Amino acid sequence: MDFKTSNAEGPVEFVNVFDLEKMAQKVVPKGAFGYIASGAGDTFTLHENIRSFNHKLIVPHSLKGVEDPSTEVVYDGDTLTSPIIMAPVAAHKLANEQGELASAKGVSEFGTIFTTSSYATTDIPEITQSLNGTPQWFQFYYSKDDGINRHIMDRVKEQGVKAIVLTADATVGGNREVDKRNGFVFPVGMPIVQEYLPDGAGKTMDFVYRSAKQALSAKDVEYIAQYSGLPVYVKGPQCAEDVFRALNAGASGIWVTNHGGRQLDGGPAAFDSLQEVAEAVDRRVPIVFDSGVRRGQHVFKALASGADLVALGRPVIYGLALGGSVGTRQVFEKINEELKMVMQLAGTQTIEDVKHFKLRHNPYDPAMPFNPDALKLD
Amino acid sequence: MDFKTSNAEGPVEFVNVFDLEKMAQKVVPKGAFGYIASGAGDTFTLHENIRSFNHKLIVPHSLKGVEDPSTEVVYDGDTLTSPIIMAPVAAHKLANEQGELASAKGVSEFGTIFTTSSYATTDIPEITQSLNGTPQWFQFYYSKDDGINRHIMDRVKEQGVKAIVLTADATVGGNREVDKRNGFVFPVGMPIVQEYLPDGAGKTMDFVYRSAKQALSAKDVEYIAQYSGLPVYVKGPQCAEDVFRALNAGASGIWVTNHGGRQLDGGPAAFDSLQEVAEAVDRRVPIVFDSGVRRGQHVFKALASGADLVALGRPVIYGLALGGSVGTRQVFEKINEELKMVMQLAGTQTIEDVKHFKLRHNPYDPAMPFNPDALKLD
Amino acid sequence: MDFKTSNAEGPVEFVNVFDLEKMAQKVVPKGAFGYIASGAGDTFTLHENIRSFNHKLIVPHSLKGVEDPSTEVVYDGDTLTSPIIMAPVAAHKLANEQGELASAKGVSEFGTIFTTSSYATTDIPEITQSLNGTPQWFQFYYSKDDGINRHIMDRVKEQGVKAIVLTADATVGGNREVDKRNGFVFPVGMPIVQEYLPDGAGKTMDFVYRSAKQALSAKDVEYIAQYSGLPVYVKGPQCAEDVFRALNAGASGIWVTNHGGRQLDGGPAAFDSLQEVAEAVDRRVPIVFDSGVRRGQHVFKALASGADLVALGRPVIYGLALGGSVGTRQVFEKINEELKMVMQLAGTQTIEDVKHFKLRHNPYDPAMPFNPDALKLD
Amino acid sequence: MDFKTSNAEGPVEFVNVFDLEKMAQKVVPKGAFGYIASGAGDTFTLHENIRSFNHKLIVPHSLKGVEDPSTEVVYDGDTLTSPIIMAPVAAHKLANEQGELASAKGVSEFGTIFTTSSYATTDIPEITQSLNGTPQWFQFYYSKDDGINRHIMDRVKEQGVKAIVLTADATVGGNREVDKRNGFVFPVGMPIVQEYLPDGAGKTMDFVYRSAKQALSAKDVEYIAQYSGLPVYVKGPQCAEDVFRALNAGASGIWVTNHGGRQLDGGPAAFDSLQEVAEAVDRRVPIVFDSGVRRGQHVFKALASGADLVALGRPVIYGLALGGSVGTRQVFEKINEELKMVMQLAGTQTIEDVKHFKLRHNPYDPAMPFNPDALKLD
């Protein structure tokens, strides 16, 4: 398949990541951009993801003697520049011909965890090399075939992956109407899952998702944990019941997400679910959060609501499209710089302080658009 | 009266039923389209019908081992493809010259209940034939004349109708301002009620509604049940008081609706009333729900709030306009396909699971337009 | 002053009273129309007046045996066609050269109470004659000079006025910015108050209001009641405290209003205050309601929230502008026809039934515009 | 640096201060106007500042015998025309070449407190002279160098400043994206802080803020109070915790602000924090309020929620831009005139009455734009 997209590499000028979305739309082909940017159904949940951060407010604190706050965290033995990590996103080659090689390099230079997607358009050894020692996690779309699953786990273990993230909220594809209107099919293959999805290129997202296992259950978590010996993060729980099921199955971490508003429209904003999940987890295992994060204040609010790590998806892909590895790194730097400014103004010196910060509930739901131009995809 | 409308028959391309509304507007004459699409007064209630589904949210559930969920239900001895049924809608010939013959055929092919309106533009034996054994219900606009009522009941019984749906929320017409602006009169006659409304064609909706009985009461329910020997569904209750009155009168089912926002503007969204009704009914009789259903997730939320069956109105009529019997069937298939996707992501294998699913209350009322282009009728 | 405005007389075609507003804007000079249509400050309260009716919802009731509901009420010995009455509005000659002669005639033909404003542009004997026996109330802007006040009271008693309505919410003019932008001055004199306001014509609204008494107190109510021997309605209370003060001073009725959003912007919608007032009044005296009433359903909701009579202002003035006495009558007929339809669908046979109807609280505040075109005054 | 801006002096025609914003945009260079008008991040908090005043409503009160209410207050021994004072705003020379000389003159003529900013573009002796005996406060951006701090305090004491306002909510600059897009640097120097910021002209706002002390703490409050012997107002607390910390450190007043929405986006509206602060302060020290005040009703609501003084920022700067000292005075007169009108209609004779007035909570969050044209900066 003859697919051309951006091959940019180098610094990008931007004021915030909403800028990047508009800029990326100009350099990424329509179908690919639509796949990246859009959400499910009426995009209610997609929009709520961002708006919901205003359901809790950061009351600034003064006279706390804070200066030059630090975002550094030690996580699982690794020192990270920030609790902001890279979310698994399929097919980086849609945004930049360098694909995951460039994004992994950018993440490595920033100094945080990179989560490789099963649907990466680069094979895992090359990503590992590009990461150059930076911690890597592997997001698993589980096959219907256990032999294939074992083989994939063997391969990722070989590459020193530190955790497996089991995607449990996407056993079928969401109703991505923009993709349907664009007639979008993946133009590039997916080497990691080629055993169970040999023809990734040329297939719709629905086809790809259906190739993975639908009837995912607690037993699969147990099996992955036991076979791989790696910590397993279950990606999907948005309520206490799901947390209990995942933890009983041996999950080593809970990843709160609604898949960026791409799966079940009519569900809650991910951020609105975080506190219930955190209460159910009760600090027994770490919590990762994604969906809707566009600002340093969003990261702050997620950490203050129970997250240990906060993952970025779309904004990084826009940075990748516009500036390759440098653009990728700039997105992390930008959000982290915003986070530091918020920490200073909120009177929090460390990430631990942020995690103990009390947000104020906002009983109102302001109708204000967060960025009215950003999501026009037709 | 020389009335021309669509006579389309065949597959329609569309991504969602909002598309259909815009497409149908182009093939159906303005007055007829206005009658179908519009609502009462300031259309507050019309809009709330759709927006209100976001007052309750579906929290996705993961690791439940769900695969290929089934929408099949056995209802009253019949196996239905889905709990999604056809609502009574007047005058299908406004949308397609084939009228109820085509819509009944499409519903039959999909495999669900067809509710014939008293104001059908096709007589009941022809509809019955087109349904070809598929269960048929009859929606009754009750006459002021008991003899006529008995005669109508005799005829529908003869045709094997399985239930009578007594419309109790439309003893006069709502304030349909679009019809007034368009000077709309029914261009086609209504054979089923021709005895008490011989001149249906050429009459306004207000005239038609006033020809039926205004002073409808519990006694009428009792009488219909006793005379016909059929189950009587009372269509209209939106609160506990009305449920009790209907059940005491011998109703065999409750149909929760606000007539698609066409009757009393300034009343609640039908979906916002469903839970109270379900609590009052307390599983003693089945509940049918309509008004505002445009998505599979809406069907899911209605079932999870107490409905046993969910009826579609306008979207089917748009499908009928654009594709005759095939377009009709496609609308049911589309919504049902969305429903299945939601069931999978919500971790529900069967409709029974959906009915036990707990929705999450949403305290906010997001101002987001559900489909801003769809309802411009001038 | 050479002022020309509409002098229309005869039937008007319209679907709802929002239509009238747009039509009236075309026939009434800009400054005069701005004075009639606009509100105070940021017009928050003006808009809330209409939107607030959606804070309570009418759940339709079925099977109540209602037929041809009646809006007739007997009030203070008079049989009125409807509890909808004419609010006091200044300077009807702004809208129609016939002024109060035509509006009084229209109100009389409809058959309800006419409230003459102190700032009428027609003298009270002529209005009385035009009313032809229909009950008349007199709205009093109290002078600083007691002699003048007595003289006015003597005159209105002579004319058989049945009640005095003391305006207590307008001791200074509200911040009418549209009037300021238009440089509006009253182009016509005000004969009833010419003793204390000889130069009404050519004066601003601020000047006119300041000519009346600012330091209005309970003693003035007592004095009016005692001197006139007429029932005194205090127009203004929006909370329990003000009700108690007015009743202690001998008020015979409470008129809940915020002056159509023309006085204090940043205050509550009048309808949102009605229930508290009704609870404080506790049926000891009658309650009149105005502000924001544009629909039959608004009248219904006001009656169900404690009002005994509901007054119309701006819509009637638009009818007057467009159709003189006939246009005036048509506005009452239109709203009353809507009210009857609502009564039928709500299952209420009489106004007494409406007053016992339980509305449903709506916790949401839908952002939906009620009529987005209607209030563009620049 | 060759910077040209307005040098207007004389009366301005305007109806409200939103007008001024639009007019000022035409006479002030883009970068300077952007700096003045814009806010942080997504401007959520900026907009909430104004919208939040509708979270509490003023119920008008009638029959209270109020006439010609007085806004005069005696504060700290000085008789002020009104509790409305001048907020500290940096760099008045951005708006008018006369700078603080003109604004101080206007404030003096109106008769209220002038708060001189550390980042004034005029030195303090000239401002003092222009104030001509009117009370002056000094807003302190604290240096990292204690010697400099002492020197500044010595100088302001010498000029008879009556209080020091310690800015505690701006230890780094907020995320002012409009400034970034405009490439804004201060075009004029800042004489008061030239010792620690010799190159104010030509520097970004971020640079300027970072030149001041970040690690501000309770000890700094103690030190300022002790060294200067002046009352210290801490500007920044928006919650009880911060109030207690400031009071324990010896603060003589609390200034509730969110810096006009210019610092931490995603925080609450300042007005929404005022009541909690007032409850924590419990009348032990005075409270000053700013952020979002554009109307007399806003001043009223702030006073009724616990403020003793209410400060104006941006609107005054717009008046300064358009009319120099006269324009400055007119802004205070306009808002104060609105305040008096509100006091009359609310039944409050004195500012003390206003402070005891009970506002009504508004559970709804109306989406109504307060002034949709005002903030388009691109």
Side-chain angles (χ1 to χ4, degrees):
Chain A
M1 195 167 272
D2 192 31
F3 176 70
K4 291 251 180 275
T5 188
S6 170
N7 62 357
E9 179 61 49
V12 187
E13 269 199 57
F14 64 105
V15 167
N16 59 41
V17 301
F18 297 113
D19 291 352
L20 291 179
E21 186 163 51
K22 281 177 273 185
M23 291 156 71
Q25 192 166 12
K26 290 179 190 146
V27 301
V28 173
K30 184 176 181 180
F33 182 78
Y35 170 76
I36 296 164
S38 75
D42 295 319
T43 69
F44 166 82
T45 298
L46 174 70
H47 283 81
E48 283 299 289
N49 273 348
I50 302 186
R51 285 163 39 104
S52 63
F53 287 107
N54 286 332
H55 294 164
K56 292 188 181 179
L57 302 171
I58 305 167
V59 181
H61 284 289
S62 49
L63 302 180
K64 301 266 285 188
V66 168
E67 180 161 21
D68 196 11
S70 165
T71 60
E72 206 176 270
V73 290
V74 177
Y75 191 87
D76 203 11
D78 294 304
T79 299
L80 309 178
T81 299
S82 162
I84 308 174
I85 71 168
M86 179 66 202
V89 177
H92 292 198
K93 284 189 180 168
L94 292 174
N96 193 310
E97 292 180 2
Q98 302 181 78
E100 289 79 3
L101 287 189
S103 50
K105 182 159 179 273
V107 167
S108 169
E109 284 171 4
F110 176 71
T112 194
I113 295 164
F114 184 88
T115 312
T116 297
S117 167
S118 282
Y119 299 152
T121 40
T122 305
D123 206 355
I124 198 150
E126 287 75 25
I127 295 174
T128 307
Q129 194 167 16
S130 195
L131 280 170
N132 193 25
T134 303
Q136 180 179 195
W137 291 0
F138 175 69
Q139 175 236 19
F140 209 168
Y141 275 105
Y142 209 60
S143 170
K144 288 162 175 148
D145 179 325
D146 278 349
I148 293 178
N149 286 329
R150 282 193 297 270
H151 185 216
I152 292 174
M153 286 191 273
D154 293 344
R155 290 190 75 221
V156 303
K157 281 197 70 170
E158 208 176 276
Q159 296 296 322
V161 151
K162 298 193 74 171
I164 289 179
V165 178
L166 179 67
T167 288
D169 66 349
T171 54
V172 296
N175 179 24
R176 316 273 179 92
E177 300 195 336
V178 169
D179 289 352
K180 290 172 189 165
R181 293 188 199 282
N182 289 339
F184 176 72
V185 295
F186 282 103
V188 190
M190 297 161 173
I192 301 173
V193 293
Q194 67 185 349
E195 280 178 292
Y196 73 85
L197 189 69
D199 311 308
K203 297 300 179 192
T204 63
M205 192 271 298
D206 276 343
F207 179 88
V208 168
Y209 275 40
R210 286 202 173 272
S211 304
K213 181 172 182 177
Q214 269 69 62
L216 221 52
S217 74
K219 283 182 189 151
D220 298 304
V221 178
E222 284 166 31
Y223 185 76
I224 297 168
Q226 175 245 309
Y227 183 83
S228 72
L230 289 171
V232 178
Y233 287 69
V234 176
K235 185 160 174 280
Q238 292 188 65
C239 61
E241 176 196 328
D242 282 29
V243 166
F244 300 145
R245 193 159 46 244
L247 294 186
N248 287 342
S252 297
I254 299 292
W255 190 309
V256 180
T257 177
N258 60 23
H259 221 100
R262 299 163 83 81
Q263 286 294 102
L264 182 55
D265 193 47
F271 179 66
D272 282 341
S273 297
L274 179 52
Q275 186 174 331
E276 175 176 332
V277 168
E279 287 168 6
V281 168
D282 200 17
R283 302 186 181 270
R284 286 177 286 173
V285 299
I287 294 173
V288 189
F289 175 82
D290 76 34
S291 292
V293 179
R294 299 292 182 274
R295 288 286 190 187
Q297 57 132 313
H298 299 168
V299 176
F300 187 100
K301 287 174 177 175
L303 294 170
S305 299
D308 296 283
L309 298 173
V310 176
L312 295 181
R314 289 184 187 92
V316 181
I317 301 304
Y318 301 139
L320 173 64
L322 294 157
S325 71
V326 176
T328 296
R329 197 190 67 219
Q330 283 179 290
V331 170
F332 284 92
E333 287 169 350
K334 169 64 75 181
I335 305 273
N336 208 48
E337 180 192 296
E338 288 184 9
L339 173 59
K340 278 189 184 169
M341 178 205 66
V342 173
M343 289 173 70
Q344 173 75 35
L345 297 174
T348 46
Q349 185 68 47
T350 66
I351 294 300
E352 208 49 40
D353 291 347
V354 175
K355 289 165 76 173
H356 288 88
F357 189 93
K358 300 279 176 259
L359 299 168
R360 188 186 289 175
H361 172 65
N362 178 12
Y364 300 105
D365 190 27
M368 207 194 131
F370 51 90
N371 197 281
D373 305 331
L375 288 155
K376 292 196 183 113
L377 301 171
D378 298 314
Chain B
M1 195 166 272
D2 191 31
F3 175 72
K4 290 253 179 275
T5 188
S6 169
N7 62 358
E9 180 60 49
V12 187
E13 268 198 58
F14 65 105
V15 168
N16 59 41
V17 302
F18 297 113
D19 291 352
L20 292 180
E21 185 163 51
K22 281 177 274 185
M23 292 157 70
Q25 192 166 12
K26 291 180 190 145
V27 301
V28 173
K30 185 177 180 178
F33 182 79
Y35 170 75
I36 296 164
S38 74
D42 295 319
T43 69
F44 166 83
T45 298
L46 173 69
H47 283 82
E48 283 299 289
N49 274 348
I50 302 186
R51 285 163 39 103
S52 63
F53 287 107
N54 286 332
H55 294 164
K56 292 187 181 180
L57 302 171
I58 305 167
V59 181
H61 284 288
S62 49
L63 303 180
K64 303 266 284 186
V66 168
E67 180 161 21
D68 196 13
S70 164
T71 61
E72 204 175 273
V73 290
V74 175
Y75 191 89
D76 202 12
D78 294 304
T79 299
L80 309 179
T81 300
S82 163
I84 307 174
I85 70 168
M86 180 66 201
V89 178
H92 292 198
K93 284 189 179 169
L94 292 174
N96 193 309
E97 291 179 2
Q98 301 180 77
E100 288 79 4
L101 287 189
S103 49
K105 181 158 181 273
V107 166
S108 169
E109 285 171 4
F110 176 71
T112 194
I113 295 163
F114 184 89
T115 312
T116 296
S117 168
S118 281
Y119 299 152
T121 40
T122 306
D123 205 356
I124 200 149
E126 288 76 24
I127 295 173
T128 307
Q129 192 166 19
S130 194
L131 280 170
N132 193 24
T134 303
Q136 180 179 196
W137 290 2
F138 175 69
Q139 176 236 19
F140 207 169
Y141 276 104
Y142 210 59
S143 169
K144 290 163 175 147
D145 178 324
D146 277 351
I148 294 178
N149 287 328
R150 282 193 297 270
H151 184 215
I152 292 174
M153 287 190 274
D154 292 344
R155 289 190 73 222
V156 304
K157 281 197 70 169
E158 208 176 277
Q159 297 297 323
V161 151
K162 299 193 73 171
I164 289 179
V165 178
L166 179 67
T167 287
D169 65 349
T171 54
V172 296
N175 178 24
R176 317 273 179 93
E177 300 196 337
V178 169
D179 289 353
K180 290 172 188 165
R181 293 188 198 284
N182 288 339
F184 176 74
V185 295
F186 283 103
V188 189
M190 296 160 172
I192 301 174
V193 294
Q194 67 186 349
E195 279 178 293
Y196 73 85
L197 188 69
D199 311 307
K203 297 300 179 191
T204 64
M205 191 272 298
D206 276 342
F207 179 90
V208 168
Y209 274 41
R210 286 202 172 272
S211 303
K213 181 173 184 177
Q214 269 69 62
L216 221 52
S217 74
K219 282 182 188 151
D220 299 304
V221 178
E222 284 166 30
Y223 185 76
I224 297 167
Q226 174 246 307
Y227 183 83
S228 71
L230 289 172
V232 179
Y233 288 69
V234 176
K235 185 161 174 282
Q238 293 188 65
C239 60
E241 176 195 328
D242 281 29
V243 166
F244 299 145
R245 192 160 46 244
L247 294 186
N248 287 343
S252 297
I254 299 292
W255 190 308
V256 180
T257 177
N258 59 23
H259 221 100
R262 300 162 83 81
Q263 286 294 101
L264 182 56
D265 193 47
F271 179 66
D272 282 340
S273 296
L274 178 52
Q275 185 174 331
E276 174 176 333
V277 168
E279 287 167 7
V281 168
D282 200 17
R283 301 185 182 271
R284 286 177 286 173
V285 300
I287 294 172
V288 189
F289 175 82
D290 75 35
S291 292
V293 180
R294 299 292 183 273
R295 288 286 190 188
Q297 56 133 312
H298 300 168
V299 176
F300 187 101
K301 287 175 177 175
L303 294 169
S305 299
D308 295 283
L309 299 173
V310 176
L312 295 181
R314 289 183 187 93
V316 181
I317 300 305
Y318 300 139
L320 172 64
L322 293 156
S325 72
V326 176
T328 297
R329 198 191 67 220
Q330 283 179 290
V331 170
F332 283 93
E333 288 170 349
K334 168 65 76 180
I335 305 273
N336 207 48
E337 179 193 298
E338 288 184 7
L339 173 60
K340 278 188 184 170
M341 179 205 65
V342 173
M343 288 173 71
Q344 173 75 35
L345 296 174
T348 46
Q349 185 67 49
T350 65
I351 294 300
E352 207 50 41
D353 292 345
V354 175
K355 288 165 76 172
H356 289 88
F357 189 92
K358 299 280 176 259
L359 299 168
R360 187 186 290 175
H361 172 65
N362 178 13
Y364 300 105
D365 190 27
M368 206 192 132
F370 50 90
N371 197 281
D373 305 331
L375 288 154
K376 293 196 183 111
L377 300 170
D378 297 314
Chain C
M1 195 166 272
D2 192 31
F3 175 73
K4 290 251 179 275
T5 188
S6 169
N7 62 358
E9 180 60 51
V12 187
E13 269 199 57
F14 65 105
V15 168
N16 59 41
V17 300
F18 297 113
D19 291 352
L20 291 179
E21 185 163 50
K22 281 177 274 187
M23 292 157 71
Q25 191 166 13
K26 292 181 190 145
V27 301
V28 173
K30 183 176 181 179
F33 182 78
Y35 170 76
I36 296 165
S38 75
D42 295 318
T43 69
F44 166 82
T45 298
L46 173 70
H47 283 81
E48 284 298 290
N49 274 349
I50 302 186
R51 285 163 39 102
S52 63
F53 286 108
N54 286 331
H55 294 165
K56 292 187 181 178
L57 302 170
I58 305 168
V59 181
H61 284 288
S62 49
L63 303 180
K64 302 266 286 187
V66 168
E67 180 161 21
D68 196 11
S70 164
T71 61
E72 204 176 273
V73 290
V74 176
Y75 192 88
D76 202 12
D78 294 304
T79 298
L80 309 178
T81 299
S82 164
I84 308 173
I85 71 167
M86 179 66 201
V89 177
H92 291 198
K93 284 188 180 169
L94 292 175
N96 193 309
E97 291 180 4
Q98 302 180 80
E100 288 79 3
L101 288 189
S103 49
K105 181 158 180 275
V107 167
S108 168
E109 285 171 4
F110 175 72
T112 194
I113 296 163
F114 185 88
T115 312
T116 296
S117 168
S118 282
Y119 300 152
T121 39
T122 305
D123 205 357
I124 199 149
E126 287 76 23
I127 295 174
T128 307
Q129 192 167 18
S130 195
L131 280 170
N132 194 25
T134 303
Q136 179 179 197
W137 290 1
F138 175 69
Q139 175 237 18
F140 207 169
Y141 276 105
Y142 210 59
S143 170
K144 289 160 176 150
D145 179 325
D146 277 352
I148 294 178
N149 287 327
R150 283 193 295 270
H151 184 214
I152 293 174
M153 287 191 272
D154 292 345
R155 290 190 74 221
V156 304
K157 282 197 71 169
E158 208 176 278
Q159 296 296 322
V161 152
K162 299 193 74 173
I164 289 179
V165 178
L166 178 67
T167 287
D169 66 349
T171 54
V172 296
N175 178 25
R176 317 274 178 92
E177 300 196 336
V178 169
D179 289 353
K180 290 173 189 165
R181 293 188 198 282
N182 288 339
F184 175 73
V185 295
F186 281 103
V188 189
M190 296 160 172
I192 301 173
V193 293
Q194 66 185 350
E195 279 178 291
Y196 73 85
L197 188 69
D199 311 308
K203 297 300 178 191
T204 64
M205 191 272 298
D206 276 342
F207 179 90
V208 168
Y209 274 41
R210 286 201 173 272
S211 304
K213 181 174 183 176
Q214 267 71 61
L216 221 53
S217 74
K219 282 183 189 154
D220 298 305
V221 178
E222 284 166 30
Y223 186 77
I224 297 168
Q226 175 246 308
Y227 183 84
S228 71
L230 289 172
V232 180
Y233 287 70
V234 176
K235 185 160 173 283
Q238 292 189 63
C239 60
E241 177 196 327
D242 281 30
V243 166
F244 298 144
R245 193 160 45 244
L247 294 186
N248 287 343
S252 297
I254 299 291
W255 190 309
V256 180
T257 178
N258 60 22
H259 220 100
R262 300 163 82 82
Q263 286 294 101
L264 182 55
D265 193 47
F271 178 65
D272 282 340
S273 297
L274 178 53
Q275 186 173 332
E276 175 176 331
V277 168
E279 286 168 7
V281 168
D282 200 17
R283 301 185 183 271
R284 286 176 287 172
V285 299
I287 294 173
V288 188
F289 174 82
D290 75 35
S291 292
V293 180
R294 299 291 182 274
R295 288 287 191 188
Q297 55 133 312
H298 299 168
V299 176
F300 186 100
K301 288 175 177 175
L303 294 170
S305 300
D308 296 282
L309 298 174
V310 176
L312 294 181
R314 288 183 187 92
V316 181
I317 300 304
Y318 301 139
L320 172 65
L322 293 156
S325 72
V326 176
T328 296
R329 197 190 67 220
Q330 283 179 290
V331 170
F332 283 93
E333 287 170 350
K334 168 65 76 179
I335 305 274
N336 207 48
E337 179 192 296
E338 288 185 8
L339 173 60
K340 278 188 183 170
M341 178 206 67
V342 173
M343 289 173 70
Q344 173 75 35
L345 296 174
T348 46
Q349 185 68 47
T350 65
I351 295 299
E352 207 51 39
D353 291 346
V354 176
K355 289 165 76 173
H356 288 88
F357 191 92
K358 300 280 177 257
L359 298 168
R360 188 187 290 177
H361 172 64
N362 178 12
Y364 301 105
D365 190 26
M368 206 193 132
F370 50 91
N371 197 281
D373 305 331
L375 288 155
K376 291 195 185 111
L377 300 172
D378 298 314
Chain D
M1 196 166 270
D2 192 32
F3 175 72
K4 291 251 179 274
T5 188
S6 169
N7 62 357
E9 179 60 50
V12 187
E13 270 200 54
F14 65 105
V15 168
N16 59 41
V17 301
F18 297 113
D19 291 352
L20 290 179
E21 185 163 51
K22 281 178 274 186
M23 292 157 71
Q25 192 166 12
K26 290 180 189 147
V27 300
V28 173
K30 185 177 180 179
F33 182 78
Y35 170 76
I36 296 165
S38 75
D42 294 318
T43 69
F44 165 82
T45 299
L46 173 70
H47 284 81
E48 284 298 290
N49 274 348
I50 303 186
R51 285 163 39 103
S52 63
F53 286 107
N54 286 332
H55 294 164
K56 291 188 181 178
L57 302 171
I58 305 168
V59 180
H61 284 288
S62 50
L63 303 180
K64 302 267 284 188
V66 168
E67 180 161 21
D68 196 12
S70 165
T71 61
E72 204 175 272
V73 289
V74 176
Y75 191 87
D76 202 12
D78 294 304
T79 299
L80 309 178
T81 300
S82 163
I84 307 173
I85 70 168
M86 180 65 202
V89 178
H92 292 198
K93 284 189 180 169
L94 292 175
N96 193 309
E97 291 179 4
Q98 302 181 77
E100 289 80 2
L101 288 188
S103 50
K105 182 158 181 272
V107 167
S108 168
E109 285 171 4
F110 175 72
T112 194
I113 294 164
F114 184 88
T115 311
T116 296
S117 168
S118 282
Y119 299 151
T121 39
T122 306
D123 205 356
I124 199 150
E126 287 76 25
I127 295 174
T128 307
Q129 194 167 18
S130 194
L131 280 170
N132 194 23
T134 303
Q136 180 180 196
W137 290 1
F138 175 68
Q139 175 237 19
F140 208 168
Y141 275 104
Y142 210 60
S143 170
K144 289 161 176 148
D145 179 325
D146 277 351
I148 294 177
N149 286 328
R150 282 193 297 270
H151 185 215
I152 293 174
M153 287 191 274
D154 291 345
R155 290 191 75 220
V156 304
K157 280 198 69 170
E158 208 175 279
Q159 297 296 323
V161 151
K162 299 193 74 172
I164 288 179
V165 178
L166 179 67
T167 288
D169 66 349
T171 55
V172 295
N175 178 24
R176 316 274 178 92
E177 300 196 336
V178 169
D179 289 353
K180 290 173 189 166
R181 293 188 199 283
N182 288 339
F184 176 72
V185 295
F186 283 103
V188 189
M190 296 161 173
I192 300 173
V193 293
Q194 67 185 350
E195 280 178 290
Y196 73 86
L197 190 69
D199 311 307
K203 298 299 179 193
T204 64
M205 191 273 297
D206 276 342
F207 179 89
V208 167
Y209 274 41
R210 285 201 173 272
S211 304
K213 181 172 183 177
Q214 269 70 60
L216 222 53
S217 74
K219 283 182 189 151
D220 298 304
V221 178
E222 284 166 30
Y223 186 76
I224 297 168
Q226 175 246 309
Y227 182 84
S228 72
L230 291 171
V232 179
Y233 287 69
V234 176
K235 185 160 174 281
Q238 293 189 63
C239 60
E241 177 197 326
D242 282 29
V243 166
F244 299 145
R245 192 159 47 243
L247 294 186
N248 287 342
S252 297
I254 298 292
W255 190 308
V256 180
T257 178
N258 60 22
H259 220 100
R262 300 163 82 82
Q263 287 293 103
L264 182 56
D265 194 47
F271 179 66
D272 282 341
S273 297
L274 179 52
Q275 186 173 332
E276 175 176 333
V277 168
E279 287 168 6
V281 167
D282 200 17
R283 302 187 182 267
R284 286 177 287 172
V285 299
I287 293 173
V288 189
F289 175 82
D290 76 34
S291 293
V293 179
R294 300 291 183 273
R295 287 286 191 188
Q297 55 133 313
H298 299 169
V299 176
F300 187 100
K301 287 175 177 175
L303 295 169
S305 299
D308 295 283
L309 298 174
V310 176
L312 295 181
R314 289 184 187 92
V316 181
I317 301 304
Y318 300 139
L320 172 64
L322 293 157
S325 71
V326 176
T328 296
R329 197 190 66 220
Q330 283 179 289
V331 170
F332 283 93
E333 287 169 350
K334 168 65 74 179
I335 305 274
N336 207 49
E337 180 192 296
E338 289 184 8
L339 173 59
K340 279 189 183 170
M341 177 205 67
V342 173
M343 289 173 70
Q344 172 76 36
L345 296 174
T348 46
Q349 185 68 47
T350 66
I351 295 299
E352 208 50 39
D353 292 346
V354 176
K355 288 164 76 173
H356 288 88
F357 190 92
K358 300 279 176 258
L359 298 168
R360 188 186 290 176
H361 172 65
N362 177 11
Y364 300 105
D365 190 28
M368 206 194 133
F370 50 91
N371 198 279
D373 304 331
L375 287 155
K376 290 195 185 115
L377 301 171
D378 298 313

